[in-house]
Amino acid sequence: MPNRTDLANAIRALSMDAVQQANSGHPGAPMGMADIAEVLWNSFLTHNPANPQWFNRDRFVLSNGHGSMLLYSLLHLSGYDLSIEEIRNFRQLGSKTPGHPEHGYAPGVETTTGPLGQGLANAVGMALAEKVLAAQFNRGEHSIVDHYTYVFAGDGCLMEGISHEVCSLAGTQELGKLIVLYDDNNISIDGDVQGWFTDDTPQRFTAYGWQVLPDVDGHDPEAIASAIEAARAEARQPSLICCKTVIGKGAPNKQGTAATHGAPLGADEVAATRDSIGWPYPAFEVPEEIYAAWNARPRGADIEQRWQDQFAAYQAQYPELAREFSRRMNRELPAGFSAQSLDYLHSAQQAGESIASRKASLKSLNAFGPLLPELLGGSADLTGSNLTLWDGSSVIDRETAAGNYLYYGVREFGMAAIMNGIALHGGFINYGATFLMFMEYARNAVRMAALMKQQSLFVFTHDSIGLGEDGPTHQAVEQLTALRCTPNLHTWRPGDAVESAAAWRAAILRQDGPSALVFSRQTIAHQARDAQQVEAIERGAYVLRDAVGTPELIIIATGSELEIAMQAAAELGDAVRVVSMPCAEVFDQQDENFKESVLPSGVRRRIAVEAAHGDYWHKYVGLDGEIIGINRFGESAPGGVLMEEFGFTAANIAATGRALLAR
């Protein structure tokens, strides 16, 4: 019968062999954390390899994602649909085993990790989602939501600033089912971390309000198991288990050094490691008795069946709650949402209100929120400015978890990454807000949402120089371009209250990626539309004002500049078409006939107007068109003064149009 060391050595062997064959990768972390992983996965982790999406599984996040062969080895050995051929194809094109874990490639990979610290942040979101769902659905003895979130994290994760943001909040929210196992090996790429990382990590996490279990021997299975048991016994505080490990454990000449971190061991060292750990088998060969000892399928099937039996009893006692739970877990919107939300767009058009689009956003939340029990919102300490606290909001805190609104504090990056964890966990449609300028803090997490195709809704207000006196530190210029150039992200910049509601509706209906909803501080005029135009907003761009006959000039505008574009068109006369383009990415996805109907290729005189960096718009106006945008930073002055100073006036657009028409 294989012992724990044999089981852990299977991880070491597969990891070093895969990295060696790929001639790239990170063998050190998998070899150093193999003993911790073996104890966690074989003695504690609740999961079913035959059904990786079973809802009440424990979530396992490898935050130090460069050690991806650790995760792939665990998935392969424990019975997930990840063959030895995929292990052999580590880091190769088309494999399920890319260099860093990618959500959606191999079953059992809960999140994409690699940018250090973000996996830990995602895990905080998962643990938060578990706590809130449990408070919303568990009743009496029926704990249908009851699972842990386990994280492996390294020195690099804890050096990244995002770890402070999210771990501070996790302590405040008392996420007792979050357990982090810290690979305290004192090595990063540049060598011994004592030259640049001397924090007292246990004291740091104690200050956050965590339970800290220090100085655990990461190669002693009994010590590891005892620490995990102590972590699970603490119901209120998240736990940090500080595991003292040797990076590259088992490699006789390289263990404990940076040489094992990010490069293959080399053929000679691989052979020496086989001798050192007593693994006499050829590369990629695992004995059947080792596979049998690792196989988690029988236990997983039994655990899931017991949960299914419990859910059946819950369903009998609480049928409405059970239906609602199943709907949300299956990511089904409430019946009638699509039609009711579209009705709201038409009613907003009839109301004809001229307001700031951030206020229109709040009105949309008040309209859609009551229809969506799964809506979970928040703001990075700008609730009163972002206007994200709708009438049905109920604040989540350490004592009251059943709410639907989070005060994230001044943690833009942490907020965005936590949101991604909530989305990955399931059960919610979640949004979080800050100023557009401060999407720069959150930038990498926004990118990760797009990469993972997660429905995180990023609300960005105060979208331009129009915010006024706070000045250039707060005035977005290049941010819209950065968002629009992010693959799989839909960026909406609505031009009035109706388009604001349409943006929210589109983001809620979309389930294959994130959306950025960009709103103004200043008032925006309502625009007249017929019913067909209202429904065309969802296509990303549409003709708001048409020319009489074939247009000679097309003005394209977004956001607060739509108003002055319409004024300029009225001044220029019947030869001018105005196209509102609240979401360029969605417009680009439309069929060619529709795109040609909006922007006919024969009309080459075009102007794009947006109070942001202009280079993005060349793709729509071409070499013969003009762009009225900003290629410098703003100033501190009232918003109206700045708009005039920077040329965002109907008069300037009209003058530019006349010059184009005269060519």
Side-chain angles (χ1 to χ4, degrees), residues 30 44 47 51 60 62 68 70 74 112 130-131 217 233 297 299 325 342-343 415 428 555 598 603:
F44 293 97
H47 64 127
N51 183 11
F60 174 77
L62 183 70
S68 56
L70 174 63
L74 289 165
T112 299
E130 191 275 343
K131 183 175 182 179
D217 184 344
R297 284 192 169 221
R299 176 174 172 269
F325 179 80
L342 185 58
D343 288 344
M415 174 184 72
F428 298 99
I555 303 173
V598 176
V603 183

Side-chain angles (χ1 to χ4, degrees), residues 585-598:
E585 305 84 45
V586 170
F587 176 69
D588 287 347
Q589 295 170 2
Q590 303 304 306
D591 63 84
E592 292 302 320
N593 287 337
F594 179 78
K595 289 191 283 189
E596 180 69 17
S597 73
V598 176

Side-chain angles (χ1 to χ4, degrees), residues 2 5 50 64 74 96 101 106 115 138 163 187 193 242 260 346-347 408 446 484 500 528 580 590 597 603 631 657:
T5 300
N64 46 343
L74 289 165
K96 294 180 180 179
N138 289 352
S163 70
I187 296 294
V193 300
C242 300
T260 68
H346 288 292
S347 67
Y408 281 101
V446 174
R484 290 185 179 125
S500 298
S580 176
Q590 303 304 306
S597 73
V603 183
N631 62 359

